[in-house]
Amino acid sequence: MKRHTIINAFLLAAPLAFATTGYAQRATENDLLPLPAVSGWTDKGHFILQRYEEKNTFKSFVVEAGTGKEVPTDNRSAGRKAVGKRVIIKQDDIFIVEGKTSQQVTHTAAKEVNPVFSPDSNYIAFTRNNDLYTLELATGKEIRLTQDGSDVILNGYASWVYYEEILGRATNYRSFWWSPDSKSIAFFRTDDSKVPLFTITGAGGDHGYIETQRYPQPGDTNPAIRIGIVAATGGATVWADFDEHTDQYFGTPYWNPDSKSLVVQWLNRGQDHYQLYNIASATGAKKLAYEERQATWINLDEEERLSFINKGKEFLLISDKSGYRQIYLHKADGTFESRVSQGDFVVSHIKYVDEENRVVYFTGNKDGLNREDLYRADLSGKHMKRLTFGPYSHEITLSPDGAYFTTRYSNAGTPDQLALLNNQGKLIKVLGDSKGPDFDTTLAKNYRIVYVKSEDGKFDIPMRIKFPRNMVAGKKYPVVIAIYGGPASSTIKDNWVPTYVQDREEQVISVSMDHRGSTEFGKVGQNYMYRDLAQWPIKDWIQGVKWLIANAQADPEKVMISGYSFGGYITCYALMHAPEYFKYGIAGGSVTDWRMYDSHYTERYMDTPAENPEGYKNSSVLTYTDKLQGKLLLIHGVIDDNVHVMNTLELVDKLQRAGNMHFDMMLYPGNRHDILGPRMEHYSELMKSYRKKWLSDMSK
């Protein structure tokens, strides 16, 4: 349930919300013009623009960034990075692919995993049977770097909880990192031997299907990690000077550009004490460079945590210690230099660092809670300036030297436009506008972002609403709310969302809601979720439902909420904790009791069950099963290895024992923490059928 991947879970609930981008083949809005697309920068002063013509054809132009002048070109691929050699796995062996040719470089019965070129492309590193190897391409020599890999000792291959919660799913369990000079590899040696084994069963064959995974739940023993550094040519491993028996976590490490040291992220088991260490690659000796403590928690998986500049002599650090995600400048030894970004807002991404002029370009929501703008600031923290414009959310593409940028911008009531600006914020040229002469202006009136004051008056809670067309005065309309709801996640952005012809006639109020713990409110808001994950989200959403009933012709007897993963959890909780407001719910892949989820994610917010017994009780869906009055559909993949199906089965068992008939259940054999694949069509039809069954007068 890693924070920057949870949007996948929200998309699984897409058939329930207007934010969907196509869960079935449907006709899209036909009164908007195709917007030109920037395909890439050819150099620091030119980029390729593709303008769409009739009959789905397009023409390419080279645009001079300084003037906006466009010159036709036949080179449609200009500006795109050339695809060189790639390394892939095919039939469990490693192949090098270049163009249309491929070369097999391993020939073993065992499976190779995660092959990665060295920066100089002279080696490939990979894992096999949980040991780390390199392959010297010039000679074909294979070098085994570790010797003790087994089913519980993993060298360069991550344990499940590290893959899911710390390193990220995009790593595919890889936990090794090349040094910039291609001479060394840093890696995690993971000891899973004391991590509890979880058994997953499913349908398959006459005797069923069984798999196991090492899955630590709250309070359980976690994987023990050692950090090793080894030469690409083999030899003795240098171990970083940490005690592997300490209850601790390690984040993704960063090589210093000079390859002489490795920056290691350390976090205590309680996840409120964070340290950065410089590790000498030759000896493993460590030196503290940075330390941070917070009263609630610190995210170990913070995106863009560290960025080296000035040839490794300085680094930019991302931290939310002020209550908001901000940028700080430190010397390589950790000495604080400056706070670069200034204000109570959330920095999204560092887009570019102009080291020569000591300027950083970044995006954030300083000028609109649910918008994104581009800013520049000196590394000293002075001269911060907004570079984008208007009441819009901007998607930025910077030139290679940061001198120019293009922005695709819109808001909830204004379709996408494209413009070219310089790095002082001066508009050079509007490149396109998707709002053509035939645009139906009534569409914009059907979309609104509304801010509702929270119960305690401290936050303005955002809702994105799509109203039915041609609403009849005095008539009440069903409400469908799509949510995710996890800490530091967000489902609302003030941008234009494409609509579909069929959706325009749907007589339902479609809503997305965030709450104080969502990304846009920063750590200040997220801290409210500490030790009780559901209390404040539900309170905030109740205020949203009240507003819809009072101001938007919402039918209070036909309010449906839906979500997947954390969204499934909060859907179940809403129906049981606030049945007077939430009448129907569709919950997929739900955590029903946080004692059953993994250690790292759960303890970050909840601490352990021994430390916070009341919080676990109050946050559990199972505590309130006697209060279920509305209708609830439970959905789960049978072999879900993230949120195990026992979460749904435990809830069903308790409801059945109480004689509660207010629920249905749909299980999907062969599916994990999603319902993608061949059963997606069934899932979509299931959603539609239950919406129709429960909300009836939804469509004309």
Side-chain angles (χ1 to χ4, degrees):
M1 208 175 289
K2 198 168 188 289
R3 292 178 305 123
H4 59 264
T5 60
I6 51 80
I7 191 62
N8 295 328
F10 174 71
L11 290 175
L12 291 173
L16 307 171
F18 65 90
T20 175
T21 55
Y23 59 89
Q25 293 297 319
R26 302 185 297 173
T28 57
E29 50 195 355
N30 53 16
D31 44 16
L32 289 180
L33 301 176
L35 196 68
V38 176
S39 65
W41 289 82
T42 60
D43 55 44
K44 63 183 181 181
H46 299 84
F47 62 90
I48 299 297
L49 186 72
Q50 295 182 339
R51 292 191 175 278
Y52 289 82
E53 306 289 329
E54 295 181 355
K55 298 180 181 180
N56 295 322
T57 62
F58 59 86
K59 290 184 179 179
S60 296
F61 299 84
V62 176
V63 182
E64 184 180 88
T67 64
K69 180 180 179 181
E70 301 179 23
V71 178
T73 179
D74 293 328
N75 188 0
R76 297 176 179 176
S77 62
R80 299 176 186 172
K81 291 183 179 180
V83 178
K85 292 181 179 180
R86 296 180 295 119
V87 58
I88 65 170
I89 296 291
K90 182 179 179 181
Q91 297 177 342
D92 293 343
D93 279 309
I94 298 174
F95 287 75
I96 296 175
V97 178
E98 186 171 15
K100 296 182 179 180
T101 64
S102 63
Q103 175 189 2
Q104 184 174 352
V105 293
T106 62
H107 303 78
T108 63
K111 180 180 180 180
E112 283 80 45
V113 181
N114 290 324
V116 179
F117 277 119
S118 59
D120 63 9
S121 298
N122 290 329
Y123 290 86
I124 294 173
F126 60 93
T127 60
R128 178 194 296 146
N129 292 332
N130 293 327
D131 271 318
L132 184 61
Y133 291 77
T134 55
L135 180 68
E136 187 179 38
L137 296 179
T139 63
K141 180 182 179 182
E142 188 177 280
I143 305 161
R144 184 173 179 175
L145 304 180
T146 63
Q147 307 294 325
D148 59 348
S150 68
D151 61 336
V152 293
I153 301 298
L154 319 177
N155 293 292
Y157 190 89
S159 181
W160 182 88
V161 74
Y162 267 74
Y163 153 79
E164 173 63 24
E165 306 295 2
I166 298 173
L167 302 179
R169 298 176 192 171
T171 64
N172 191 36
Y173 292 91
R174 180 172 69 88
S175 61
F176 65 84
W177 302 270
W178 277 103
S179 63
D181 64 5
S182 300
K183 294 181 179 180
S184 302
I185 299 174
F187 67 97
F188 285 176
R189 178 192 182 273
T190 301
D191 185 347
D192 256 351
S193 61
K194 295 182 180 180
V195 178
L197 200 62
F198 192 92
T199 301
I200 297 172
T201 61
D206 295 335
H207 301 287
Y209 170 85
I210 295 177
E211 66 179 53
T212 58
Q213 68 176 144
R214 299 284 174 172
Y215 189 100
Q217 293 174 327
D220 284 346
T221 301
N222 273 328
I225 307 294
R226 296 183 74 187
I227 300 176
I229 300 172
V230 63
T233 54
T237 298
V238 174
W239 298 103
D241 184 21
F242 295 98
D243 181 359
E244 67 174 313
H245 301 296
T246 299
D247 221 351
Q248 62 196 344
Y249 294 106
F250 294 102
T252 302
Y254 296 81
W255 278 101
N256 191 291
D258 66 7
S259 299
K260 294 180 180 179
S261 63
L262 183 75
V263 178
V264 168
Q265 302 184 78
W266 179 93
L267 188 69
N268 67 325
R269 176 73 183 252
Q271 300 190 58
D272 55 7
H273 182 198
Y274 173 85
Q275 294 178 322
L276 283 176
Y277 286 96
N278 283 312
I279 307 298
S281 58
T283 66
K286 68 177 187 289
K287 185 177 181 180
L288 182 65
Y290 176 81
E291 186 168 24
E292 180 181 320
R293 297 177 187 268
Q294 292 193 31
T296 55
W297 71 83
I298 298 170
N299 295 311
L300 185 57
D301 63 334
E302 195 72 66
E303 293 185 73
E304 301 176 345
R305 170 71 80 179
L306 206 65
S307 302
F308 282 107
I309 62 172
N310 193 16
K311 299 180 180 179
K313 296 177 182 178
E314 297 173 297
F315 62 82
L316 294 171
L317 177 78
I318 293 284
S319 172
D320 59 14
K321 62 185 177 182
S322 71
Y324 298 90
R325 181 177 150 96
Q326 294 284 289
I327 307 170
Y328 300 85
L329 178 66
H330 290 256
K331 291 183 179 179
D333 64 2
T335 302
F336 173 77
E337 293 191 78
S338 64
R339 175 171 167 174
V340 178
S341 51
Q342 304 286 336
D344 293 343
F345 68 95
V346 177
V347 170
S348 302
H349 300 286
I350 295 174
K351 304 295 287 188
Y352 179 73
V353 181
D354 181 349
E355 297 191 34
E356 181 179 350
N357 295 301
R358 295 188 65 79
V359 174
V360 61
Y361 297 86
F362 59 91
T363 53
N365 68 344
K366 183 178 185 295
D367 290 271
L369 185 66
N370 295 99
R371 295 174 183 158
E372 188 163 291
D373 280 287
L374 179 67
Y375 301 87
R376 55 142 288 160
D378 294 348
L379 289 177
S380 65
K382 297 179 180 179
H383 305 121
M384 182 172 151
K385 178 183 178 181
R386 182 190 184 202
L387 300 178
T388 40
F389 54 85
Y392 306 111
S393 193
H394 294 262
E395 297 179 17
I396 303 299
T397 303
L398 275 161
S399 64
D401 64 351
Y404 303 96
F405 66 93
T406 61
T407 172
R408 179 174 179 150
Y409 58 99
S410 67
N411 58 35
T414 308
D416 289 317
Q417 300 177 68
L418 185 69
L420 169 66
L421 296 88
N422 68 18
N423 64 4
Q424 296 302 310
K426 180 182 178 181
L427 177 66
I428 296 171
K429 185 178 183 181
V430 174
L431 299 168
D433 187 344
S434 61
K435 186 171 67 174
D438 298 326
F439 176 67
D440 184 352
T441 56
T442 63
L443 282 177
K445 298 178 182 179
N446 294 334
Y447 292 87
R448 290 178 63 188
I449 290 183
V450 172
Y451 293 90
V452 179
K453 188 64 69 176
S454 62
E455 179 186 71
D456 58 4
K458 295 181 178 180
F459 297 90
D460 293 321
I461 305 301
M463 296 192 297
R464 182 166 187 146
I465 308 171
K466 172 186 156 304
F467 293 99
R469 298 186 75 185
N470 304 315
M471 293 180 72
V472 177
K475 180 181 178 180
K476 299 297 183 181
Y477 292 84
V479 176
V480 176
I481 304 170
I483 48 87
Y484 178 75
S489 64
S490 180
T491 59
I492 296 179
K493 186 178 181 181
D494 189 5
N495 63 346
W496 180 260
V497 174
T499 59
Y500 298 83
V501 173
Q502 292 90 331
D503 285 349
R504 296 182 186 180
E505 306 308 318
E506 197 172 49
Q507 296 298 291
V508 60
I509 301 171
S510 298
V511 183
S512 285
M513 293 182 179
D514 280 351
H515 55 76
R516 69 187 63 203
S518 299
T519 305
E520 59 264 39
F521 290 105
K523 192 70 185 302
V524 167
Q526 294 152 28
N527 284 338
Y528 280 82
M529 299 182 76
Y530 184 52
R531 290 189 147 214
D532 191 331
L533 283 167
Q535 176 188 4
W536 284 105
I538 293 299
K539 285 185 177 182
D540 290 344
W541 290 340
I542 286 173
Q543 295 301 106
V545 173
K546 286 180 177 179
W547 187 95
L548 291 166
I549 293 170
N551 299 281
Q553 299 180 228
D555 187 340
E557 298 304 317
K558 292 182 180 179
V559 177
M560 187 178 85
I561 184 172
S562 63
Y564 209 96
S565 194
F566 195 103
Y569 157 68
I570 210 75
T571 294
C572 294
Y573 191 94
L575 261 69
M576 296 176 195
H577 197 76
E580 65 272 36
Y581 297 104
F582 302 98
K583 305 297 184 178
Y584 303 96
I586 301 180
S590 311
V591 177
T592 59
D593 191 303
W594 288 104
R595 294 175 181 86
M596 293 187 282
Y597 197 53
D598 75 59
S599 58
H600 184 79
Y601 183 92
T602 306
E603 292 174 15
R604 181 191 309 168
Y605 310 113
M606 295 288 291
D607 293 331
T608 66
E611 294 167 327
N612 183 24
E614 284 302 306
Y616 276 83
K617 178 183 177 182
N618 294 337
S619 293
S620 175
V621 172
L622 304 182
T623 302
Y624 307 100
T625 50
D626 61 325
K627 299 185 182 301
L628 178 61
Q629 300 173 24
K631 299 291 186 180
L632 176 63
L633 172 62
L634 298 167
I635 297 171
H636 221 116
V638 173
I639 60 170
D640 191 332
D641 58 353
N642 185 341
V643 179
H644 298 129
V645 71
M646 76 171 182
N647 282 268
T648 290
L649 297 181
E650 288 283 348
L651 175 56
V652 167
D653 179 62
K654 193 162 185 180
L655 290 170
Q656 288 174 340
R657 290 176 184 273
N660 193 310
M661 305 296 290
H662 293 281
F663 73 95
D664 292 335
M665 180 174 68
M666 177 64 68
L667 299 180
Y668 285 92
N671 280 83
R672 297 193 184 273
H673 197 52
D674 57 51
I675 313 297
L676 300 176
R679 292 181 174 86
M680 185 62 185
E681 184 176 352
H682 183 279
Y683 173 80
S684 297
E685 291 300 316
L686 181 72
M687 302 298 97
K688 288 190 287 186
S689 69
Y690 270 82
R691 288 176 67 183
K692 183 177 181 180
K693 173 183 176 181
W694 289 340
L695 306 181
S696 60
D697 298 323
M698 200 178 66
S699 302
K700 286 185 175 180

